[in-house]
Each structure stands twice: as C-alpha cells, then as structure tokens.
C-alpha cells in the first residue's frame, strides 16, 4: 500500500457514472495535472534523474499518427519512472524548420502579390516571427490532448535566445578547431526553394525520362557518350575513359570537338569509369555532377556553370534563357539535326532526386558553401556505440547506424534562406574573414566595408544540439548538471541519418565526450491496417484527433502501444482503436462493479491462511504480471507489456477472478471481506500498471477506488514476491471445466444465459470447493426431481452430467449435425480425389494445390468436431 492510497476512505461507487465518457474527463483532468505541477522536474531534487527530450516537431506541423505513436511511448516511459521515484523530465519544444517555415510565409506573401525581396531581410524575418506567434505551435495544444506529461515550463524553440547562443558558440568552437570550413563544391540545389539541401533531404524516386547517346568528335577520333541530362553537355570539359580500355587508348590526351559549341575538350583516363557500362566513355561536367566534379579535381579540369539558381541556362546563345527541361529538348533536337544522336531510349525510367519539401527535381550545382569536417566527429559517434556507452535498441539496427557514421561525407551546413540561424562570419573590405562568438562584437560596420555572411545554418545544425542546448548549454546550469546525459532517445529508425548521428557528433564534441543519451530506442513507422504507408495520395491518412474525438485519447494510445514492437512498423486501423475503447469501458465497468461489491484498499492484506485458492491464484498472477511488465519496459517491448496487461486485466481479473468471487460476495461473511480486500488490491495495482499507457481512465478510477490524489504521483507497484503454484493449478482445473462445458453448450446451440439442470461429481478433486462458482459461471441449476443425465462430460478428473431433455430438440439437432457431417464428408471426398489425380497435380500451380490441401485439412477437422458433437448428444 502507498501513502496516497491511505489518505482517505474511498469515495462511494455512485461517484462513477454508469458509462465512461472520455470527453467529459480528459481535458479537465489534464489541466489539473499541469496546474498541480506533476510534470515539473526539480533540478535541486536529490532523486535520481530520468530525462527524455522530445524530438522537436516542426513549428509548421500538426499532430499526426507518427507523433501520437512516439509521444505515447515517451510518455509511458517518463510516467513510469516518475512513479518509480525518479526526478522525471520530459522536455518539450519545437524546431524552427527553416525551409518549411520560410515557404509558408512566402506563400502568404504571394497571396498578397509580394515576395520576400519586397520586404527585405529584416522585415521578412519579423514577418516569420509574427507567423510563428499566430499559427506556429499548433501541435503543442494537440500534445495536451494526447496527455503528454511534459514539463511545459521548460519548453524550448530552436530560435529562442538561449538556443541561438548555443548555436553561435558551437559554430565558433568548430571553426576555431578547423572543423568548419568554406569551400566550392557540388551540392544539391533546389531551384524552387533556392537553397542548398543536404543528401538526406533529397528523396529519390523512379521518373520516366530519356537516355540519349551522343557522338562527340569526328571519324576515328569520335566517341559516344550517353546521358539523361543532355542540356548539361553545354558545360562538359572532358570525356573520360578507363585507362585500360583498348577501344579508347588512342584517344587519351587528345582533344575532340564538343558538339553545339566552339570548344574542344580533352579525353582523360580515369579508373572511376566502368568500361563494361554503356559505351565505356562518360561525359564530364564538373560543375553539375558530383562524380564529374571529383574527376575534374583529379585532372585539373575547369568547371563551367551553365545554369543559374532557377535552373535557367546562362550560356550559349541558342539556349540562353531556357529552363533546364526546355533546354533538354532543345539540345536533343539540335543534336539530332546534326546527326549526332546515335540512339534514343524513351521512356527511360531512372532514379531522380527531389527536394523532400517541395518535390522539385534537385539540380547538382557547384557552389561556395560552408561545411563541417565530419571525420573525427563521426568516428567519436561510432566509438560511443561500439564501446557500449550508448546502446541501440533493437541491437540489429546498429548496422544501419554504423553504415552511416562510418561512411559519412562532409556536411554542407549553409542554406540560402533568410529564416534561421545566420552564419556568424563577417567579411572585411580587404578580404578578412572573422568568425564571431556570442559574446563578441562584429569586427566592423557596413559603412566600414564589413558584411555578414548572408546564409543561414541547416535546421539540423541547431536540432543536433537539442539534448544539451535545451538544458542551458553553454552555461553550466543546474539543469545541465542534473539532467544530462539524457536517458533515452526514442525516435523513428528513418531519422538515424537526419538527427541521431548529428546529436551524437555534437554532443560528444561539446560535452567533452559525455554522450547525449544512453540508449537509442528506435521505433518503426505507423502504417494503415493493410501495412501500407500512409500518404495523402493513397487517401489513407488519418487525423489522430478524429479518433480521439470518437473513442478517447486512451483508446488511441493503447492501440499504438499495443502495436509497438521495437524497430518494426505499426499497422493501425479504426477497428483496433474501437477495440481499445471497449477495453477502457471494460475497466470502467469492472471497477464500478467491484466498488459496488465492497472492493477496498483499506488495511493490510489478509494472511495467506485466510485466503481462498481463488484469492491466492489472482495474487500470484498479479505478482507475475508486475515482474513481466517491468521486464518488458526495460527492453522497450511496449507491444508485449500492453498485451500482457490487456489479458491479465480482461481475462484473469474481470472474466475469471471477479466471476469466481461473485458467489463469495453474495454469501457475505469473513470470506467476502477477504475477497473484497484482495479485489481492491488487484485493481489498485492493475490501474497503476496500466496508467503510463492509458492515463486518463486509470487516474479517474484509481482516485475513486483509493481516495488518493493522483496516479501520476503514486508509487509504481513492486512485485510482492507472492507465488502459489498449487492455487494456480487448482484454478486452472476450474477454468478447464468451465471452458469445456461452455464449448459443449455452444456446440449444442444453447444460449449463454440458458439454465440447464446438472449433476457435478467433484468429490475427491480440487474442484470441490468451487462448485457454487462453477454452477454460476455455467448457468447450471441443481439436478432436482426427475433429473435424467442425457449428456455426460468427464473433464479434469471430475464429471459434469447435463439434462438436456427439456432444453434442446435432440431430433432436430441430430438432423442438423448429420447434414453438416454429410457436407464435410463430400468436401473431403472431392479434395481427396483431386489430390489423388496425378495429371491434375502435374499441371496445377502450387498455390492451387496448397489451397486444396487446406480444404482437405479443414474437412477433416469439421468431421472430427461434428462426430464428437453427435457422440455427446443424448439418444433421441
């Protein structure tokens, strides 16, 4: 028993409405939790800390099922740890989402007939802040609706003052350590967003294009190259072949004429070229292809940029001013007219990169950008997992992590946007470059010829600091000392590359080798009930608020948790949410029944000698369930712990213990008082165990049952250690008898509530003390005068004799079963004949043969079942 449960006597059962209405409970209950400060963490507390920082949702976002899924699991972890006596901090916040947010405001301006350039940088940024105040953070209110137990006093935003200081500090340190540098390299460019984007922000999809083969040069000094981007030939500065390719050895070092231009370009030998692919010769456009850029670097080739930031051609008269796709057709047409097209393949399906935010085809582009030198940082991030300081769960996901951190390219961190953390570098009138820290003054004014870099940092740069910047770094705050390292990062396996690796690199660097989190718990993605990805184009996207409105937040949470196997995608359908709502209703109704029958938490549990076998059985199962649930929590097995709680609560507590105890309650006396106390204990512990996953209904019921203040601050139950194998075996016998007789009744077409005269022969068995309960569960009335045993069932060492003479029409039932048996025997004969036909087996597909084998197996099962039913029927 806990102190909370002993504060006052339980409220009367009449305080509980006859039906559970989530809408009447959830909103007010959540606000009460927040007002009482249950979720506020105290950095001065001497309790051990437990910390989770929320993966910051975009300020532009709203709650989707993926958020609801991960938030449910994080909330369950932090609620349980709080109940276990930890100073539990779940820290909320939002990401400024550079490109996405800027796009939102630019769309708003476009509706006014303006662009950001009409406003200028300062006024545009102010406009974004206004948008954020008015429209941003919608998701935060929705998190309250879900029941997120976050510390709202610590809410952070990646553009707030403290986090901006952290960004500037780490940039300066990395720059001074020569881990940040500026260089001209090929980047992914979005002509719509007008900014560089990283490799992981490019989504590849199969597009239908055209592969054209073009002849460069003349006669013996000609070579054929193939491309899907014919317009880029205008920027070719070489053709490359493999040095060992005999076909082209005579051309290596020679100049050949580049069609449509007045230029000649060299043929270079490079081992990057695969002589077995295509013609074995490739065009080299260093300014517009990453592989070509590398070849250009090795051979000191010039780089010609042929299109501007909008993807418009900027060179060669006939194509000047054309969009890249318009120019592609025009270039192919011009080459065709000159007889330079050797072959065309259309449509040619190939993988094309698209901007993950606006879906525009990405253009590789040579550009001056800022980069992070990742090699030493990535090595540290890999070592932290390899040496066990950070554990990845499930462990088999480690390979994906190592594949990324062990092969990471330098990270392009600059973005050509106005919304975001501006790069803290100033350029002077005489070519000076000065990186400015948060406490430094700019080196000069614009009037003196000093200008700040116009780019902003990649959004993932600031969110990579999230585990420590949110706790006050670079200041050595109480929060940082108490709550860092964080305990668990729970996130989807799809952002290992986006976010997880970046936090590992920055956390280890900034915090002197101290890891940002001890465990990385990776989840799958939420899919529809058929396992299909949720997408607007598929028409299967679900707004979780709709399901919460209809079934309650607990129902949605329980459904999501029950599908959460580590690292595995989670299918979800409305029927499953409805079933979870039914579970919440079952808990409500069973608790209400228990209270009406005197269930109590007052006083100690009776001694074992005073407990019935039924009492001892449920207490043993309760202890085993606590042990099992604890083990599943430590292994992040949310699906298994939810399933274990579901079956314990519904099957064992409500369907068996409550039902077996009804006769005891009705009889009254000391035995009833003992069972009332046991039932109170079982409900108390069960509601505690369920609370982290379904907090609303459990808190409402528990406070009514115990009179305690709130489950949020109640103690987590400990395994009592009580076990009783003999009681478990005894109740298992009762369950076998009840289950077997119920099955027989159903086979005979009896209604569940239909009463049947019966004689129970239980003497000499462990079942004897349970006769009254067995009769009540099976609706068996005393045998009475004129009893005739028309059906006898031996089960579990006992015998149940039933008089069905006045209950069913035996003749009609035998006739019905005989008809069913004949149909099953006919099905078996047909299937057997087909499977015995060698000619059929030789021609039929495997799936057809397997289907017929299944029909045969089903027919055999039906024949055995019906024959047993006929055998049990009384003689007509």
């Amino acid at each position: 028993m806990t102190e909370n449960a002993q504060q006052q006597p339980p409220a009367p059962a009449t305080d509980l409405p006859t039906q559970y209405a989530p809408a009447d409970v959830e909103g007010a209950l959540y606000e009460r939790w927040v007002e009482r400060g249950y979720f506020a963490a105290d950095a001065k507390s001497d309790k051990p800390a437990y910390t989770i920082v929320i993966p910051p949702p975009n300020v532009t976002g709203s709650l989707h099922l993926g958020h609801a899924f991960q938030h449910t699991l994080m909330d369950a972890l932090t609620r349980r740890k709080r109940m276990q006596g930890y100073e539990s901090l779940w820290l909320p916040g939002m990401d400024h989402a550079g490109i996405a947010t800027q796009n939102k405001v630019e769309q708003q301006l476009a509706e006014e007939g303006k662009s950001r350039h009409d406003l200028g940088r300062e006024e545009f940024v102010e406009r974004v802040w206004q948008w954020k105040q008015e429209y941003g953070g919608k998701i935060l209110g929705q998190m309250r609706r879900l029941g997120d137990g976050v510390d709202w006093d610590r809410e952070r935003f990646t553009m707030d003052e403290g986090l901006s200081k952290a960004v500037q500090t780490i940039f300066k340190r990395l720059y001074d350590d020569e881990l940040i540098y500026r260089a001209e390299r090929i980047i992914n460019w979005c002509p719509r967003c007008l900014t560089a984007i990283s490799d992981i922000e490019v989504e590849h999809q199969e597009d239908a294009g055209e592969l054209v083969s073009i002849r460069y040069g003349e006669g013996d000094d000609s070579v054929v190259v193939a491309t899907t981007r014919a317009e880029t030939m205008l920027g070719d500065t070489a053709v490359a072949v493999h040095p060992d390719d005999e076909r082209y050895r005579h051309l290596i070092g020679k100049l050949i004429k580049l069609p449509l231009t007045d230029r000649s370009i060299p043929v270079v030998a490079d081992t990057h070229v695969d002589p077995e692919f295509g013609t074995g010769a490739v065009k080299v456009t260093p300014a517009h292809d990453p592989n070509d850029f590398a070849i250009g670097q090795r051979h000191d080739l010039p780089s010609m940029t042929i299109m501007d930031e909008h993807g418009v051609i900027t060179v060669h008269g006939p194509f000047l001013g054309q969009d890249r796709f318009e120019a592609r057709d025009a270039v192919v047409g011009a080459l065709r007219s000159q007889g330079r097209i050797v072959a065309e393949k259309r449509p040619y399906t190939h993988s094309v990169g698209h901007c993950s935010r606006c879906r525009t085809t990405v253009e590789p582009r040579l550009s001056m950008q800022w980069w992070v030198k990742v090699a030493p940082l990535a090595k540290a991030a890999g070592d932290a997992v390899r040496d066990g300081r950070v554990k990845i769960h499930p462990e088999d996901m480690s390979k994906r992590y190592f594949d990324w951190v062990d092969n990471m390219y330098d990270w392009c961190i600059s973005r050509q946007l106005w919304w975001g953390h501006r790069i803290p570098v100033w350029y002077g009138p005489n070519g000076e470059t000065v990186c400015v820290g948060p406490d430094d003054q700019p080196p000069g004014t614009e009037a003196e010829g000093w200008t700040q870099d116009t780019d902003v940092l990649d959004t993932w740069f600031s969110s990579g600091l999230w585990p420590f910047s949110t706790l006050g770094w670079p200041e050595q705050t109480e929060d940082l000392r108490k709550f860092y390292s964080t305990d668990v990062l729970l996130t989807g396996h799809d952002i290992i590359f986006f976010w997880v690796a970046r936090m590992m690199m920055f956390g280890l660097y900034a915090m002197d080798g101290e890891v940002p989190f001890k465990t990385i718990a990776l989840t799958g993605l939420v899919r529809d009930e058929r396992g299909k990805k949720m997408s607007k184009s598929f028409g299967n996207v679900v707004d979780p608020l709709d399901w919460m409105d209809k079934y309650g937040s607990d129902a949605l949470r329980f459904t999501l948790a029950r599908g959460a196997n580590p690292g595995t995608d989670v299918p979800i359908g409305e029927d499953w949410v409805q079933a979870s709502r039914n579970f919440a209703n079952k808990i409500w109704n069973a608790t209400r029944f228990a209270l009406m029958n005197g269930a109590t938490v007052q006083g100690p549990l009776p001694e074992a000698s005073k407990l019935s076998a039924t009492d001892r059985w449920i207490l043993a199962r309760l202890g085993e369930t606590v042990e099992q649930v604890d083990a599943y929590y430590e292994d992040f097995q949310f699906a298994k712990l939810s399933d274990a709680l579901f079956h314990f609560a519904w099957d064992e507590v409500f369907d068996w213990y409550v039902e077996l105890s009804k006769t005891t309650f009705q009889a009254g006396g000391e035995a009833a008082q003992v069972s009332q106390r046991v039932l109170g204990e079982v409900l108390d512990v069960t509601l505690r165990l369920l609370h982290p996953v379904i907090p609303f209904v459990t808190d409402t019921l528990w406070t009514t049952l115990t009179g305690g203040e709130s489950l949020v601050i109640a103690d987590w139950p400990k395994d009592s250690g009580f076990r009783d194998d003999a009681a478990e075996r005894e109740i298992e016998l009762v369950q076998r008898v009840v289950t077997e007789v119920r099955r027989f009744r159903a086979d005979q077409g009896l209604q569940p509530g239909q009463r049947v005269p019966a004689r129970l022969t239980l003497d000499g068995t462990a079942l004897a003390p349970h006769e009254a309960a067995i009769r009540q569960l099976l609706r068996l009335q005393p045998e009475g005068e004129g009893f005739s045993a028309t059906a006898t069932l031996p089960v579990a060492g006992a015998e149940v004799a039933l008089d069905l003479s006045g209950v069913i029409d035996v003749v009609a039932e035998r006739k019905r079963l005989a008809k069913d048996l004949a149909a099953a025997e006919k099905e078996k004969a047909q299937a057997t004949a087909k499977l015995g036909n060698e000619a059929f087996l030789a021609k039929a597909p495997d799936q057809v043969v397997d289907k017929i084998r299944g029909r045969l197996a089903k027919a055999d099962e039906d024949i055995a079942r019906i024959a047993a039913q006929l055998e049990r029927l009384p003689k007509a």
Side-chain angles (χ1 to χ4, degrees):
M1 293 296 297
T2 67
E3 292 181 6
N4 272 332
Q6 295 177 335
Q7 287 177 358
Q8 57 191 67
T14 51
D15 279 4
L16 284 179
T18 55
Q19 291 184 324
Y20 178 50
D24 296 341
V25 170
E26 293 176 350
L29 182 55
Y30 184 84
E31 293 308 318
R32 187 155 65 247
W33 291 336
V34 173
E35 287 165 9
R36 292 179 177 178
Y38 293 158
F39 305 137
D42 181 2
K44 294 185 173 72
S45 166
D46 58 3
K47 295 179 182 178
Y50 183 82
T51 315
I52 294 180
V53 291
I54 204 166
N58 286 354
V59 67
T60 59
S62 59
L63 190 73
H64 57 63
L65 277 176
H67 289 128
F69 170 52
Q70 292 180 356
H71 287 207
T72 293
L73 306 188
M74 285 184 278
D75 195 31
L77 290 172
T78 50
R79 282 178 183 270
R80 173 174 174 263
K81 286 295 183 180
R82 188 179 292 112
M83 294 173 75
Q84 286 183 314
Y86 286 79
E87 196 62 43
S88 190
L89 169 62
W90 186 20
L91 192 147
M94 291 185 299
D95 191 281
H96 66 279
I99 295 178
T101 308
Q102 179 156 321
N103 282 348
K104 287 277 189 186
V105 178
E106 288 198 81
Q107 289 166 12
Q108 197 178 62
L109 287 173
E111 292 171 4
E112 302 170 13
K114 298 177 183 177
S115 76
R116 60 180 164 124
H117 300 285
D118 294 324
L119 274 65
R121 184 168 192 141
E122 286 189 21
E123 191 176 339
F124 176 78
V125 170
E126 180 57 35
R127 180 72 175 259
V128 180
W129 277 108
Q130 291 172 11
W131 181 92
K132 187 256 181 186
Q133 292 299 116
E134 188 171 353
Y135 301 105
K138 176 181 178 184
I139 193 172
L140 298 178
Q142 296 168 338
M143 286 163 54
R144 302 173 89 94
R145 179 70 192 282
L146 187 65
D148 283 8
V150 297
D151 186 343
W152 290 109
D153 293 337
R154 285 182 168 87
E155 180 192 335
R156 303 305 298 268
F157 179 52
T158 50
M159 286 284 286
D160 69 27
E161 185 178 351
L163 269 65
S164 295
K165 181 177 182 180
V167 168
Q168 199 170 348
T169 299
I170 201 163
F171 187 100
K172 170 74 169 164
R173 290 188 186 179
L174 289 164
Y175 180 87
D176 290 345
D177 287 344
E178 298 183 350
L179 293 173
I180 281 182
Y181 63 94
R182 193 169 184 241
E184 190 175 43
R185 292 187 179 180
I186 291 284
I187 47 88
N188 304 296
W189 182 264
C190 176
R192 158 62 185 81
C193 298
L194 297 180
T195 182
I197 58 176
S198 66
D199 290 342
I200 52 179
E201 292 169 301
V202 177
E203 292 182 357
H204 288 84
Q205 67 184 46
E206 296 296 310
D207 284 0
E210 178 182 22
L211 180 68
V212 294
S213 298
I214 309 167
R215 180 170 50 84
Y216 288 11
E218 305 292 342
D220 292 340
D221 289 347
S222 67
V223 64
V224 175
V225 299
T227 181
T228 58
R229 300 166 65 219
E231 73 283 2
T232 63
M233 68 156 290
L234 301 173
D236 285 358
T237 56
V239 170
V241 297
H242 194 279
D244 299 331
D245 194 332
E246 293 293 339
R247 294 171 295 176
Y248 303 117
R249 184 164 288 180
H250 69 289
L251 288 177
I252 295 172
K254 287 187 176 182
L255 295 175
I256 60 173
K257 186 72 186 306
L258 180 66
L260 305 183
T261 74
D262 57 1
R263 294 189 292 116
S264 292
I265 58 176
V267 177
V268 299
D270 197 282
T271 54
H272 170 77
V273 180
D274 181 1
E276 302 298 323
F277 184 77
T279 65
V282 297
K283 59 190 286 298
V284 181
T285 321
H288 292 279
D289 183 275
N291 293 322
D292 293 2
F293 177 77
I295 294 174
Q297 294 278 293
R298 288 193 289 272
H299 297 276
D300 199 24
L301 299 173
S303 296
M304 288 185 60
T305 300
I306 63 158
M307 63 181 79
D308 68 12
E309 60 186 7
H310 297 280
V312 173
I313 303 298
T314 57
V315 299
H316 202 68
F319 312 107
L320 187 66
Q322 291 184 352
D323 173 80
R324 53 186 168 151
F325 300 118
E326 180 186 4
R328 183 172 300 172
D329 292 337
V331 166
V332 171
L335 290 166
R336 190 184 296 115
S337 68
Q338 292 186 7
R340 294 279 174 183
I341 300 295
V342 176
E344 296 182 69
K345 186 174 183 181
R346 182 187 294 176
Y348 178 73
T349 302
H350 61 128
S351 181
V352 177
H354 295 260
C355 174
S356 62
R357 289 176 175 81
C358 72
R359 314 304 307 159
T360 300
T361 300
V362 167
E363 190 65 40
R365 174 182 170 86
L366 185 63
S367 180
M368 183 67 76
Q369 301 286 343
W370 285 94
W371 304 81
V372 172
K373 188 184 294 182
V374 300
L377 303 174
K379 182 182 184 303
D383 290 345
V385 174
R386 287 189 170 95
D387 64 24
R389 282 177 289 155
V390 177
K391 298 188 183 305
I392 293 180
H393 189 87
E395 192 175 352
D396 58 11
M397 286 281 180
S398 298
K399 183 180 183 302
R400 294 183 65 182
Y401 176 80
F402 291 131
D403 284 347
W404 181 250
V405 298
D406 293 347
N407 300 285
M408 198 181 293
Y409 297 108
D410 283 1
W411 171 20
C412 176
I413 56 171
S414 46
R415 298 291 181 267
Q416 289 63 55
L417 303 171
W418 288 355
W419 173 245
H421 296 100
R422 195 163 173 182
I423 289 177
V425 171
W426 290 72
Y427 306 108
N430 300 310
E432 303 96 332
T433 300
V434 177
C435 182
V436 176
D439 299 320
D440 301 333
Q441 291 297 319
T445 65
E446 285 191 22
E448 296 168 335
W450 286 89
T451 58
Q452 186 176 358
D453 195 299
T454 57
D455 289 351
V456 300
L457 288 162
D458 178 10
T459 296
W460 297 103
F461 190 95
S462 52
S463 60
L465 316 182
W466 192 251
F468 53 94
S469 64
T470 52
L471 296 172
W473 187 91
E475 308 302 327
Q476 293 302 306
T477 63
E478 285 186 330
D479 278 1
L480 195 64
R481 286 191 290 270
K482 177 74 175 180
F483 297 111
Y484 190 90
S485 299
T486 69
D487 288 87
V488 178
L489 171 71
L490 190 144
T491 191
H493 61 66
D494 57 324
I495 60 170
I496 290 178
F497 322 124
F498 283 100
W499 193 43
V500 178
R502 279 135 173 57
M503 286 190 290
M504 285 287 282
M505 292 192 301
F506 282 166
L508 290 161
Y509 173 79
M511 298 300 293
D512 299 320
E514 194 174 356
V515 297
F517 23 75
K518 302 176 185 77
T519 300
I520 302 169
L522 297 170
T523 70
L525 309 179
V526 179
R527 296 181 177 272
D528 71 12
E529 64 266 36
R530 296 178 182 84
K532 194 173 184 179
K533 180 180 178 181
M534 287 192 174
S535 164
K536 289 180 181 177
S537 59
F538 296 153
N540 61 351
V541 173
V542 174
D543 184 343
L545 294 172
D546 291 342
W547 281 351
M548 287 192 279
D549 286 343
K550 198 169 182 181
Y551 304 111
S553 299
D554 283 333
L556 177 63
R557 290 170 61 114
F558 193 71
T559 305
L560 291 165
R562 206 172 177 193
N565 291 297
T568 304
D569 288 350
V570 182
I572 184 172
E574 186 168 1
D575 288 351
W576 305 337
V577 185
Q578 186 173 357
S580 295
R581 188 272 313 273
N582 294 344
F583 179 50
N585 287 343
K586 181 77 170 181
I587 299 168
W588 183 273
N589 292 333
T591 304
R592 194 169 181 277
F593 168 85
L595 287 167
M596 292 173 67
N597 283 273
T600 180
V601 298
Q602 301 305 302
L605 276 171
E607 297 175 3
S609 61
K610 295 184 178 180
L611 301 173
S612 68
T614 308
D615 294 331
R616 297 197 309 276
W617 164 72
I618 198 62
L619 288 174
R621 286 294 303 123
L622 180 66
E624 290 164 7
T625 300
V626 172
E627 179 185 31
Q628 191 177 37
V629 168
D630 277 335
Y632 285 146
Y633 261 114
E634 296 307 312
D635 201 32
F636 302 99
Q637 297 281 359
F638 295 98
K640 290 182 179 179
L641 72 89
S642 299
D643 214 45
L645 286 169
F646 174 86
H647 288 295
F648 174 70
W650 191 308
D651 298 345
E652 296 183 298
V653 179
F654 305 147
D655 281 358
W656 284 109
Y657 181 72
V658 168
E659 293 299 321
L660 287 169
S661 300
K662 281 183 177 178
T663 53
T664 305
F665 293 147
Q666 290 164 2
E670 185 179 357
Q673 292 175 353
V674 168
S675 291
Q676 286 165 346
R677 179 65 189 88
V678 170
L679 180 54
E681 181 75 11
V682 170
L683 285 175
D684 175 17
V685 174
T686 302
L687 291 170
R688 292 172 195 256
L689 291 173
L690 284 165
H691 175 72
V693 179
I694 48 174
F696 293 106
V697 67
T698 52
D699 196 53
T700 304
L701 293 173
W702 184 85
T703 53
T704 303
L705 171 71
T706 69
E709 183 181 338
S710 173
L711 260 180
V712 181
I713 54 171
D715 293 335
W716 182 253
K718 292 183 172 64
D719 177 8
S720 65
F722 183 87
R723 301 290 188 271
D724 193 321
D725 294 341
E728 292 201 50
R729 287 193 297 271
E730 186 171 321
I731 300 305
E732 185 182 341
L733 292 177
V734 174
Q735 291 172 328
R736 282 176 55 194
V737 170
V738 172
T739 301
E740 189 67 25
V741 176
R742 278 177 174 167
R743 186 180 297 118
F744 175 75
R745 287 175 57 110
D747 287 344
Q748 308 312 314
L750 296 176
Q751 295 299 314
Q754 195 169 354
R755 295 199 166 274
V756 178
R759 180 174 63 241
L760 274 61
T761 306
L762 308 177
D763 292 344
T765 73
L767 295 165
H770 303 282
E771 178 169 352
I774 291 171
R775 283 187 177 276
Q776 180 155 316
L777 285 167
L778 291 171
R779 303 296 189 267
L780 302 179
Q781 59 193 42
E783 48 199 279
E785 195 173 332
F787 176 82
S788 174
T790 57
T792 302
L793 282 75
V795 56
E799 187 176 89
V800 178
L802 304 172
D803 184 355
L804 303 177
S805 55
V807 179
I808 62 171
D809 185 335
V810 177
V811 173
E813 187 63 15
R814 280 191 172 278
K815 186 175 180 181
R816 182 184 70 79
L817 289 172
K819 183 179 178 182
D820 291 346
L821 182 62
E825 288 172 338
K826 181 180 179 182
E827 175 72 3
K828 178 178 179 177
Q830 290 174 342
T832 302
K834 282 193 174 183
L835 293 173
N837 185 334
E838 294 296 335
F840 169 77
L841 292 176
K843 294 179 182 178
D846 289 346
Q847 60 266 33
V848 173
V849 175
D850 289 343
K851 187 174 181 180
I852 293 171
R853 286 186 179 132
R855 284 168 50 193
L856 177 60
K858 175 70 165 54
D860 281 334
E861 290 175 7
D862 288 345
I863 289 168
R865 175 179 55 79
I866 297 167
Q869 289 177 242
L870 282 166
E871 180 66 28
R872 288 172 170 173
L873 273 177
K875 305 301 180 187

